[in-house]
Amino acid sequence: MKLQQIKAVMNKYKRAWENRDTSLILDCFTKNGIYQESPLAKPYKGHKEIAKFWNAVVVNETANIKFKLGKCYISEDKKTGFAEWECKNIYKNNKNYMVGIMILAMKGDKITYLNEYWNQ
């Protein structure tokens, strides 16, 4: 894994979130990729489950999304990536401000596992 791969996929993730684009978010993940939206939430496994979550929450309940990518890092063994982020949006008709970090594993330019830790 290289730092540039993390930055590239996170910039694609940013565009997917800001445009509420389900096809683009799926393009960030391998077909069997896992999206753990919160450490305490059930993980979404594969494109079908990720799309179902994304459509329900991002597409149908969130608007005016402004995502800012922060610093990105790679573990010494080059197997784990980290990306800081912040996001302003309207969620269920309420202003929302979130900050967080994503922990991810990748295969090539696609995410195989993503775990988000965030606070609002």
Side-chain angles (χ1 to χ4, degrees), residues 9-94:
V9 79
M10 292 312 304
N11 281 313
K12 187 186 293 186
Y13 185 98
K14 166 190 166 59
R15 290 191 314 276
W17 204 351
E18 289 183 339
N19 295 303
R20 301 181 312 166
D21 186 330
T22 304
S23 295
L24 192 54
I25 197 64
L26 295 179
D27 193 47
C28 294
F29 287 86
T30 60
K31 287 281 186 196
N32 297 317
I34 297 171
Y35 178 31
Q36 181 90 34
E37 183 263 339
S38 167
L40 302 176
K42 171 190 166 285
Y44 302 100
K45 299 177 181 179
H47 280 194
K48 185 176 178 180
E49 288 186 16
I50 294 169
K52 184 177 177 181
F53 163 77
W54 194 265
N55 286 329
V57 175
V58 178
V59 174
N60 293 329
E61 297 182 343
T62 313
N64 299 348
I65 302 165
K66 299 296 179 208
F67 180 91
K68 181 180 177 187
L69 181 62
K71 293 182 181 179
C72 296
Y73 309 91
I74 298 178
S75 63
E76 279 189 33
D77 64 6
K78 309 264 191 248
K79 293 182 180 179
T80 307
F82 307 89
E84 297 175 341
W85 59 271
E86 61 184 86
C87 181
K88 293 179 182 178
N89 58 55
I90 305 295
Y91 178 67
K92 293 184 176 181
N93 298 317
N94 295 306

